[in-house]
Amino acid sequence: MRLILLGPPGAGKGTQAARLVEKFSIPQLSTGDMLRAAVKAGTPVGLQAKTVMDAGGLVSDEIVCGIISDRIEEADAVNGFILDGFPRTVAQAKALDELLAEKGMRLDAIIELKVDESALLARIEKRAADTIAAGGTVRADDNPDAFKVRLVAYREQTAPVSAYYASRGVLKTVDGMAPIADVTKALDAVLG
Ligand code: AMP
């Protein structure tokens, strides 16, 4: 099962992806998580990505496509994967088409979680509060200023990705405003 989960920051992609990981025994490939790990490890990619990530902007297509191209070939992804946070631009979606074709792989589903923009900031703030309550470290970009930039990046660069897949008739949508368990059920229904 090879899936893409699309949706704005705070839509619940990570939460739902974690459930699909259990269900299908496939890894969740979050470019955000991979980039944060690179920043933490101080790798050349991490050093390049940190400033733009902290501000809420997008890392270059070249960097993230390279990361994904390598990652989907790893042994744990042999039965599939869930892409979370990638593709984030139409150029990334086109690069993904090409690299999947080269590797002889095809996507099974592309699903967008639809969420009212007005609910997103509150969700991000809740995520930060929950992280603090659990004794964790809040993401450097889970603050109102970076969030505004992330939302603009979403509107201008990532919303067209949904349009790209919709125009090819392969986009499915699920109501991401419903309670978490209901969103999970709706995803199950879409995935058959
Ligand atoms: P996320 O965890 O998906 O919200 O991603 C956190 C940050 O990582 C984003 O705001 C971007 O700076 C960067 N990032 C993650 N995925 C991508 C991507 N596919 N393309 C460009 N930048 C990305």
Side-chain angles (χ1 to χ4, degrees):
M1 177 67 79
R2 298 191 188 96
L3 300 177
I4 298 179
L5 281 185
L6 296 172
K13 299 184 297 293
T15 304
Q16 295 301 330
R19 290 167 185 233
L20 294 168
V21 162
E22 295 291 316
K23 182 170 171 170
F24 294 109
S25 301
I26 51 176
Q28 167 190 2
L29 308 186
S30 156
T31 39
D33 285 350
M34 292 183 232
L35 289 165
R36 280 185 287 277
V39 169
K40 205 170 168 192
T43 66
V45 162
L47 293 175
Q48 233 180 305
K50 185 180 182 337
T51 314
V52 63
M53 286 176 75
D54 285 353
L58 291 187
V59 175
S60 77
D61 291 337
E62 197 189 345
I63 287 182
V64 287
C65 291
I67 292 176
I68 284 293
S69 178
D70 292 342
R71 184 64 185 82
I72 62 178
E73 299 229 57
E74 285 182 27
D76 65 340
V78 70
N79 292 321
F81 47 76
I82 303 159
L83 296 179
D84 162 11
F86 178 92
R88 221 123 139 189
T89 64
V90 172
Q92 289 177 20
K94 289 182 176 166
L96 178 64
D97 284 344
E98 276 173 30
L99 68 90
L100 289 175
E102 275 165 22
K103 296 177 200 289
M105 297 176 180
R106 57 182 298 278
L107 295 167
D108 296 292
I110 300 153
I111 306 174
E112 180 182 23
L113 295 179
K114 282 258 185 208
V115 184
D116 294 345
E117 264 194 23
S118 58
L120 297 176
L121 181 58
R123 285 186 176 202
I124 294 288
E125 285 174 340
K126 183 172 184 309
R127 174 158 79 191
D130 289 349
T131 303
I132 291 169
T137 308
V138 175
R139 284 172 48 167
D141 59 354
D142 269 356
N143 64 72
D145 284 343
F147 179 74
K148 273 184 214 148
V149 182
R150 288 161 70 195
L151 206 50
V152 170
Y154 176 77
R155 274 193 217 119
E156 292 180 355
Q157 292 175 269
T158 309
V161 174
S162 297
Y164 172 76
Y165 290 121
S167 72
R168 296 165 56 194
V170 292
L171 182 72
K172 294 178 175 143
T173 56
V174 161
D175 174 15
M177 293 301 289
I180 290 174
D182 293 352
V183 178
T184 305
K185 267 191 218 151
L187 284 171
D188 285 347
V190 162
L191 293 170

